[in-house]
Amino acid sequence: MREVLAQAAFQLFLERGFERTTVDDIVARAGVGRRSFFRYFPSKEDVVFPDHDRCLAEMTEFLAAVDDGDPVGAVCDAARIVLRMYAADPEFSVQRYRLTREVPGLRTYELSVVRRYEQTLAGHLRGRFGADGDGALRAEVIAASVVAAHNNGLRLWLRSGGAGDPEAAVDHALDLVREVWERPAEPSPALEKPGPAGVTTTGSGDNEVIVMVAAKGTPMWRVVQQIEAAVGES
Amino acid sequence: MREVLAQAAFQLFLERGFERTTVDDIVARAGVGRRSFFRYFPSKEDVVFPDHDRCLAEMTEFLAAVDDGDPVGAVCDAARIVLRMYAADPEFSVQRYRLTREVPGLRTYELSVVRRYEQTLAGHLRGRFGADGDGALRAEVIAASVVAAHNNGLRLWLRSGGAGDPEAAVDHALDLVREVWERPAEPSPALEKPGPAGVTTTGSGDNEVIVMVAAKGTPMWRVVQQIEAAVGES
């Protein structure tokens, strides 16, 4: 049913444009009732990206089970799950790519989808790096790099009309990121100094409290970083 | 007029929520006609981010004029233009940050704004690296890293309620990116600057420390407020 609705919607978007297609048009084409549509898709935008929720769930599951030894490699592999979803149906993926470039509302929607992947990858890295010191910063920057590299490779393939194997371009792009982030770092003056603040949480439930002790002169942003690390806020 | 409309809109968003405020409400509060609103802002979302167009223009101008020698440094400096826009009005920036976190439509809008900055930075790097070989790939990945690092530092400051100097956190974050993409790294003068205003309470001399206790669900800006109140800093 989901599939049938997505196909009907897409035919209509291509025939008469996204803006001029209504949900009523889609259910009429699919031969189902209006309520069926909203059971599967919260909005007309969602029907353009029917697989991202499943893909995000798969990514989360993969990362929960992955080996701890190579966190940057793990998030690169997690990104490849998205690639495989696109590669599984080249024709649909290419049509969607073209449609998305023409409809500003879809481009914005796609950005929010991409952001959810990025946050999922960053969350995994934060868990591995620890959110102390620069853990959260590194997690966010690496997640953004991985997503940008993946999308660069994916877009090359989509622009080519879905010809050939997209994996080579994406592997190459992700290798660049791994190579850069897994090279041993030369310490910079700032990185050598761990933040002098310590934060612990005690108690439980509603009575849980944060206790923070920081050396005189600790910058406020560092204090905030440390507290957030302790309470696990992202 | 632009300013007056933005202020009226923000008062209303804070009073009755973004969704329940109409453009008619905004123009009534500002004491102007409906057409004036749409002369300045294409939509209600745009009024929440009144300065980004100007900021993007400034960024483009800066990059067009910048020295060729250090492209990664140049895009980091370009990102700091955004930071300065936020830092110029801490109260407005913090209010907007809280509002944006509560209204999904604004978060999505903000993603599209961030994407425009990222594309501007990537465009500059592509011009410098050349689009051959990995030029475009490196441009996109570095632009994404710079934006993620900038936003990490900016968010720490926004979550702290706009307390202190946001530049230290952003400089630190951007330096991580430069260090990774420009090895061997040169220590930047920014890193040698001491952090923003320190916070102190008990002890004496070098052993002086802050001790802060807060309920776990306390919002970060409130925590920072409490720390500052305790040490008599504003």
Side-chain angles (χ1 to χ4, degrees):
Chain A
M1 171 64 76
R2 218 183 138 73
E3 196 82 339
V4 170
L5 281 163
Q7 275 176 8
F10 240 79
Q11 283 170 6
L12 287 162
F13 296 156
L14 293 169
E15 285 168 26
R16 63 181 80 165
F18 179 79
E19 302 296 355
R20 273 180 312 224
T21 301
T22 66
V23 170
D24 286 329
D25 297 335
I26 297 167
V27 297
R29 174 74 59 100
V32 302
R34 194 177 158 82
R35 276 171 54 203
S36 300
F37 182 89
F38 290 107
R39 201 173 313 143
Y40 291 99
F41 303 106
S43 72
K44 201 173 69 168
E45 280 76 10
D46 291 280
V47 81
V48 181
F49 304 95
D51 296 322
H52 281 297
D53 280 338
R54 189 177 51 68
C55 191
L56 201 71
E58 200 182 320
M59 180 185 276
T60 304
E61 205 176 315
F62 170 82
L63 288 171
V66 80
D67 197 314
D68 270 7
D70 175 14
V72 179
V75 294
C76 288
D77 287 343
R80 288 186 177 93
I81 295 171
V82 183
L83 178 69
R84 282 198 294 276
M85 176 191 72
Y86 280 81
D89 192 345
E91 193 188 330
F92 178 76
S93 296
V94 170
Q95 280 180 350
R96 169 165 66 190
Y97 175 68
R98 290 176 189 157
L99 186 66
T100 302
R101 286 172 64 100
E102 280 164 22
V103 182
L106 290 180
R107 271 214 302 280
T108 312
Y109 184 96
E110 192 178 45
L111 287 178
S112 70
V113 169
V114 171
R115 179 70 181 152
R116 285 163 69 203
Y117 288 121
E118 190 176 317
Q119 287 177 319
T120 302
L121 302 181
H124 178 78
L125 292 172
R126 251 194 317 272
R128 291 302 181 274
F129 295 160
D132 276 1
D134 285 327
L137 169 62
R138 283 172 55 86
E140 285 172 27
V141 173
I142 294 174
S145 304
V146 167
V147 166
H150 170 275
N151 288 349
N152 176 282
L154 174 59
R155 269 197 305 270
L156 283 174
W157 178 74
L158 290 168
R159 283 200 205 113
S160 79
D165 173 11
E167 292 206 17
V170 169
D171 284 348
H172 174 73
L174 291 174
D175 282 347
L176 178 88
V177 171
R178 290 187 66 165
E179 195 265 322
V180 164
W181 287 102
E182 289 181 343
R183 228 186 294 162
E186 285 177 30
S188 81
L191 297 177
E192 282 165 356
K193 274 185 279 175
V199 183
T200 53
T201 58
T202 65
S204 63
D206 288 345
N207 296 322
E208 198 165 15
V209 295
I210 311 160
V211 178
M212 193 238 11
V213 179
K216 176 186 178 181
T218 306
M220 187 56 79
W221 62 272
R222 182 65 89 178
V223 172
V224 172
Q225 206 179 44
Q226 299 278 338
I227 294 172
E228 288 185 344
V231 302
E233 195 183 318
S234 67
Chain B
M1 173 61 79
R2 218 182 138 73
E3 196 84 339
V4 170
L5 280 163
Q7 276 177 7
F10 239 80
Q11 283 171 5
L12 287 162
F13 296 158
L14 292 169
E15 285 168 25
R16 62 182 78 165
F18 179 80
E19 302 294 357
R20 272 181 312 223
T21 301
T22 66
V23 170
D24 287 329
D25 298 334
I26 297 167
V27 296
R29 173 73 60 102
V32 302
R34 195 177 157 84
R35 277 171 54 203
S36 300
F37 182 91
F38 290 107
R39 200 173 314 143
Y40 291 99
F41 303 107
S43 73
K44 201 173 69 168
E45 280 76 11
D46 291 281
V47 82
V48 180
F49 303 95
D51 297 323
H52 281 297
D53 280 338
R54 189 177 51 71
C55 191
L56 201 72
E58 199 181 322
M59 180 185 276
T60 304
E61 205 175 313
F62 170 82
L63 289 170
V66 80
D67 197 317
D68 271 8
D70 175 14
V72 179
V75 294
C76 288
D77 287 342
R80 288 186 178 94
I81 296 170
V82 183
L83 177 69
R84 281 198 295 276
M85 177 193 69
Y86 279 81
D89 193 345
E91 193 188 330
F92 178 75
S93 295
V94 170
Q95 281 180 349
R96 169 165 66 192
Y97 176 68
R98 290 176 192 157
L99 186 67
T100 302
R101 284 174 65 101
E102 281 164 22
V103 182
L106 290 180
R107 273 213 301 279
T108 312
Y109 184 95
E110 192 178 45
L111 287 177
S112 70
V113 169
V114 170
R115 179 72 182 149
R116 285 164 70 203
Y117 287 122
E118 190 177 316
Q119 287 177 318
T120 302
L121 302 182
H124 178 78
L125 293 172
R126 249 192 321 271
R128 292 299 181 276
F129 295 161
D132 280 0
D134 284 331
L137 170 61
R138 285 171 54 85
E140 284 171 28
V141 173
I142 294 174
S145 303
V146 167
V147 166
H150 170 275
N151 288 350
N152 175 283
L154 174 59
R155 269 198 305 270
L156 284 173
W157 179 73
L158 291 169
R159 284 200 204 118
S160 81
D165 174 11
E167 292 204 16
V170 169
D171 284 348
H172 173 75
L174 290 174
D175 211 74
L176 178 88
V177 171
R178 291 187 65 169
E179 195 267 326
V180 161
W181 287 102
E182 288 187 336
R183 269 174 217 159
E186 296 167 29
S188 104
L191 289 175
E192 283 148 20
K193 274 192 298 189
V199 184
T200 55
T201 47
T202 68
S204 63
D206 287 343
N207 296 322
E208 202 169 12
V209 293
I210 313 158
V211 179
M212 193 275 312
V213 179
K216 188 160 179 182
T218 309
M220 189 56 65
W221 59 272
R222 182 69 78 188
V223 170
V224 172
Q225 250 177 11
Q226 286 171 356
I227 295 172
E228 289 187 338
V231 300
E233 263 192 47
S234 61

